Amino acid sequence: MRTQVAIIGGGPAGLLLSHLLHLQGIDSVVLESRDRDYVEHRQRAGMLEQGTTDALRDSGVGERLDREGLVHHGLELRFGGAGHRIPLTGLTGRTVTVYAQTEIVKDLVARRLADGGDIRFEAEVVDLDASAPRVTYRGGGETRTLDCDYIAGCDGFHGVSRPAVPGLRTFSRDYPFAWLGILAGVRPSTEELIYASHDRGFALHSLRSPTVSRLYLQVPPDEDIAAWPDARIWDELAARFATGDGWKLHEGPVTDKAITPMRSFVAEPMRHDRLFLAGDAGHIVPPTGAKGLNLAVSDVIILARALTERYATGSETLLDGYSDACLRRVWRAEHFSYWMTTLLHVDPAATAFERRLQRAHLDYVASSEAAATSLAENYVGLPIE
């Protein structure tokens, strides 16, 4: 079997890359180790930068996004018992949109299959050769080999692609806290996201739809989720979101609950021979800045442009510059995510002096247009090179 581009991983990065290549007449095969139902229902973040929504619309998969996505023009920083709105659109002219990653995956799977795309679910990659290049995988009780011109490793942090790159240099940071996240079947208590910094720890009020809320609490990284019955979660959320004006948190049935550790990670370079890493295969960010999915999208946009140039002209100039182009954006997003995380969370090892510095910085961001603009510019997303 042969294709032009073998794509390992059927998440939003791999599926969008396959779609973008199809629009340019480039063949690809997507190999996904999980079944379709799992891929379309695994819960992930859903805050989309302006560049991500533009890319989905421009490629023809934005119809349901435009119909069901919740466009946000601002966010709230809440600390000291008061809220401080950051007017994202007013400061940057751009927006962010809440649209669950599960829905993006459903849209892309449906579109690729409608276009005759080749997505092979339950296809576990067992070997790959970045020089030949080829991918060997198991599926349907058989082991098969797929020859190709290029391989795109879009298979996440625990996938097989990154270990296949020799001589990687990695950079990482583990944070001394984690997020306890819940989905709740209740009308959101806010129309825009609330990022709360409290002496008891960070809290985030997000939303999935007009009837579904997504909320998070800072907890220790080794916390046992069994120690958090629903009633305790709601009590703690109410305490961390409390304001002096009587704001009320809507409570409802918890439908999903999980604890997620916080980590920053970057691998360099993001290319080896004819293998290209994209998304979580090459980098991860703490979720505070909502950059993970958006970085994956920018990676595959850059890769799709480079592959399009290669097949159209024979030039590999953009392919040769892929890793550097991606990493410039990755490191900016890593810094922003680190900055947001350290600004809003309680570090258990922080001194009283450091806590007062943190509060002074929050006051500055909330009161300075220049500081708020810097936050807003990074939050809505920088242009994709």
Side-chain angles (χ1 to χ4, degrees), residues 73-86:
H73 299 278
L75 61 82
E76 180 182 324
L77 297 181
R78 186 173 290 191
F79 59 93
H84 308 268
R85 185 174 185 268
I86 306 297

Side-chain angles (χ1 to χ4, degrees), residues 31-347:
L31 302 172
E32 167 56 47
S33 62
R34 303 283 191 162
D35 62 33
R36 180 177 177 179
D37 183 70
Y38 179 91
V39 170
E40 292 187 340
H41 291 91
R42 55 186 166 192
Q43 294 294 330
R44 293 292 188 273
M47 178 61 74
L48 310 183
E49 296 176 354
Q50 178 86 58
T52 298
T53 56
D54 289 346
L56 293 171
R57 292 189 187 104
D58 292 346
S59 66
V61 288
E63 180 180 351
R64 200 157 67 93
L65 165 65
D66 286 333
R67 188 171 66 248
E68 300 177 14
L70 305 176
V71 178
H72 287 193
H73 299 278
L75 61 82
E76 180 182 324
L77 297 181
R78 186 173 290 191
F79 59 93
H84 308 268
R85 185 174 185 268
I86 306 297
L88 301 174
T89 305
L91 293 170
T92 68
R94 296 162 73 81
T95 64
V96 292
T97 302
V98 173
Y99 189 64
Q101 178 173 313
T102 51
E103 306 311 305
I104 296 174
V105 169
K106 291 174 186 176
D107 294 343
L108 287 167
V109 168
R111 180 59 184 268
R112 290 303 297 123
L113 295 179
D115 289 342
D118 193 341
I119 307 174
R120 304 181 188 182
F121 295 103
E122 299 181 87
E124 180 187 5
V125 174
V126 295
D127 190 31
L128 62 90
D129 185 335
S131 301
R134 65 174 59 90
V135 178
T136 303
Y137 69 97
R138 292 195 195 98
E142 298 180 359
T143 299
R144 302 172 180 175
T145 297
L146 179 65
D147 293 311
C148 53
D149 298 330
Y150 299 98
I151 303 170
C154 306
D155 50 345
F157 184 74
H158 299 289
V160 300
S161 298
R162 189 177 66 255
V165 179
L168 270 179
R169 188 178 183 191
T170 61
F171 307 82
S172 64
R173 177 187 176 92
D174 293 313
Y175 295 85
F177 33 75
W179 276 11
L180 167 59
I182 65 168
L183 274 176
V186 61
R187 176 172 60 89
S189 310
T190 179
E191 294 182 355
E192 297 178 338
L193 271 67
I194 302 172
Y195 287 81
S197 178
H198 192 278
D199 289 341
R200 300 168 71 108
F202 169 78
L204 170 62
H205 193 324
S206 183
L207 52 157
R208 282 292 177 265
S209 75
T211 59
V212 177
S213 297
R214 182 70 159 158
L215 302 107
Y216 300 91
L217 285 169
Q218 175 186 342
V219 296
D222 57 352
E223 190 71 302
D224 182 358
I225 199 167
W228 287 88
D230 295 357
R232 183 188 178 192
I233 292 173
W234 288 116
D235 287 346
E236 191 63 26
L237 285 166
R240 297 188 192 185
F241 285 124
T243 61
D245 59 5
W247 182 90
K248 296 297 183 183
L249 176 67
H250 301 154
E251 298 184 12
V254 176
T255 59
D256 185 72
K257 186 189 308 183
I259 291 179
T260 304
M262 307 276 282
R263 191 182 190 199
S264 298
F265 175 87
V266 180
E268 297 183 358
M270 291 174 59
R271 177 191 181 178
H272 169 59
D273 210 337
R274 292 175 178 262
L275 167 64
F276 298 83
L277 304 180
D280 286 0
H283 44 76
I284 56 174
V285 291
T288 321
K291 294 300 166 195
L293 171 61
N294 296 291
L295 274 181
V297 168
S298 64
D299 286 348
V300 298
I301 289 174
I302 293 169
L303 182 53
R305 290 173 180 169
L307 289 167
T308 297
E309 179 191 63
R310 162 64 180 84
Y311 284 111
T313 70
S315 170
E316 295 196 357
T317 300
L318 292 183
L319 286 175
D320 291 339
Y322 169 77
S323 182
D324 288 343
C326 289
L327 286 169
R328 281 193 293 273
R329 187 179 180 86
V330 166
W331 278 112
R332 174 84 296 276
E334 289 283 354
H335 179 264
F336 177 68
S337 298
Y338 161 84
W339 176 79
M340 282 279 284
T341 300
T342 54
L343 177 68
L344 295 166
H345 290 72
V346 174
D347 185 337

